[in-house]
Amino acid sequence: MRFGGPEVLGVHHLPDPRPGAGEARIHVRAAAVNPTDISRRTGLLGVGDGSPPYIPGAEAAAVIDAVGAGSRWQIGDAVMAMAIPMSEHGGAYAEYLVAPDDSIARIPANTSFEQASTLPMNGLTAAQTLELMSLRPGQSIAVTGAAGMVGNYLVQLAKMQRLIVIADAAPKDVALVRSLGPDHVIDRGDDLAARIRAAFPGGVDAVADTALLHEKVVPALCDGGVFVSLRRWKGKPTRNIRYEATWVYDDYHSSAKLDSLRRAAEEGVLTPRVADVLPAEKAADAHRRVEAGGVRGRIVLTF
């Protein structure tokens, strides 16, 4: 009902939403907890079009239990969807969520609801990052924060596109990051750019900065390289470097892209990671753990 610390999260009983034309209502089974959910809870990202109670959460896996006129989905379909908190339909931390048909895709075969719930926002963010870069096979990309969920998917999708991938890792995460298949694993830290340059003296073609290192990693780029930020940060316009920023909600109506992530997961290209599963009423505990840092994979809330 108000913004603040984890303690403001609570259970609220609301009327069941009704799907309109071209929409489906999904009975949420699992909702992933992401760092952006913290920013929603604290009010950092504003109120948007929403009104109390504000419902966080940007990705869910669910079963369709009602459809509007003309919907292409069937009751009983197991699906995953991205949600936009502070919007007309609200966020994913809800037992029932109404979603446009084109924001939904089937969950990957042989994947649990908990695993599938980590794919929509994180996977679409990674895919959008690579689209903004427009790299050719054989070009190089450095991924900061490779042990995180978006970094996880970025490394794997970049390899699928036949790019040369440089990933950073803390000592405790080296085995995890190597398992994703990058060409080079480099120690993380503030001097990451210098270590990348030591391996690539001319600089890399692109940097995907999921660790939010910003200006600290820009020197790793070659002249004319591209830097993609997750938080709309842009550096100084030097050396013809192109700065781009992801805004995953631009892909809200991108069910075809979401379905391509489903196929990648079924083919073993993408490996969803679940750090823990908690009942939805323990959302505050999940937020405390995410804020504390060090979580590998996503904590998932179940309904």
Side-chain angles (χ1 to χ4, degrees):
M1 299 301 291
R2 59 186 175 86
F3 299 118
E7 71 280 355
V8 304
L9 294 171
V11 177
H12 299 269
H13 297 279
L14 304 174
D16 292 345
R18 301 288 181 182
E23 296 179 335
R25 185 177 72 188
I26 62 177
H27 184 183
V28 176
R29 300 296 178 83
V33 178
N34 289 281
T36 53
D37 300 347
I38 309 301
S39 299
R40 294 288 183 188
R41 190 203 73 223
T42 60
L44 183 64
L45 298 180
V47 299
D49 299 323
S51 59
Y54 302 111
I55 305 174
E59 51 188 355
V63 174
I64 292 177
D65 82 328
V67 294
S71 174
R72 64 186 177 89
W73 294 99
Q74 301 293 320
I75 292 174
D77 286 343
V79 299
M80 54 187 178
M82 189 169 75
I84 304 182
M86 316 305 183
S87 69
E88 174 188 3
H89 294 312
Y93 294 9
E95 188 175 9
Y96 294 102
L97 174 69
V98 169
D101 275 5
D102 58 6
S103 70
I104 301 171
R106 296 185 186 279
I107 68 170
N110 302 316
T111 300
S112 68
F113 286 111
E114 291 82 3
Q115 291 170 321
S117 73
T118 73
L119 274 167
M121 187 184 75
N122 290 288
L124 287 172
T125 299
Q128 188 183 108
T129 298
L130 291 169
E131 287 178 357
L132 289 169
M133 290 176 173
S134 299
L135 299 177
R136 302 181 305 277
Q139 289 190 285
S140 55
I141 173 177
V143 178
T144 73
M149 204 72 253
V150 174
N152 184 138
Y153 292 151
L154 261 168
V155 171
Q156 294 180 310
L157 290 175
K159 288 305 301 177
M160 185 176 71
Q161 295 184 14
R162 304 198 306 276
L163 301 177
I164 298 170
V165 180
I166 303 93
D168 71 344
K172 65 184 178 66
D173 294 322
V174 168
L176 166 63
V177 172
R178 285 197 188 281
S179 74
L180 304 175
D183 299 278
H184 305 271
V185 177
I186 295 177
D187 290 342
R188 65 179 299 183
D190 289 346
D191 56 349
L192 176 63
R195 287 196 287 274
I196 293 173
R197 279 282 186 164
F200 291 80
V204 292
D205 295 300
V207 168
D209 186 27
T210 79
L212 310 181
L213 297 179
H214 299 159
E215 68 279 351
K216 294 175 183 176
V217 75
V218 171
L221 282 167
C222 66
D223 293 353
V226 57
F227 182 101
V228 179
S229 166
L230 266 61
R231 297 290 175 90
R232 299 195 171 193
W233 178 87
K234 291 191 176 183
K236 296 178 181 178
T238 58
R239 301 193 291 121
N240 293 318
I241 290 172
R242 175 166 60 93
Y243 291 96
E244 301 285 356
T246 61
W247 185 245
V248 70
Y249 300 116
D250 287 343
D251 280 324
Y252 181 50
H253 297 282
S254 297
S255 59
K257 291 182 184 179
L258 192 54
D259 197 56
S260 71
L261 295 172
R262 172 192 62 80
R263 293 193 299 273
E266 288 180 346
E267 294 165 3
V269 173
L270 295 180
T271 53
R273 285 188 286 121
V274 174
D276 201 359
V277 177
L278 298 176
E281 57 267 27
K282 292 195 176 292
D285 292 340
H287 275 227
R288 290 185 184 98
R289 288 173 59 182
V290 171
E291 284 185 292
V295 177
R296 296 295 176 254
R298 288 286 179 251
I299 298 175
V300 174
L301 303 177
T302 57
F303 293 81

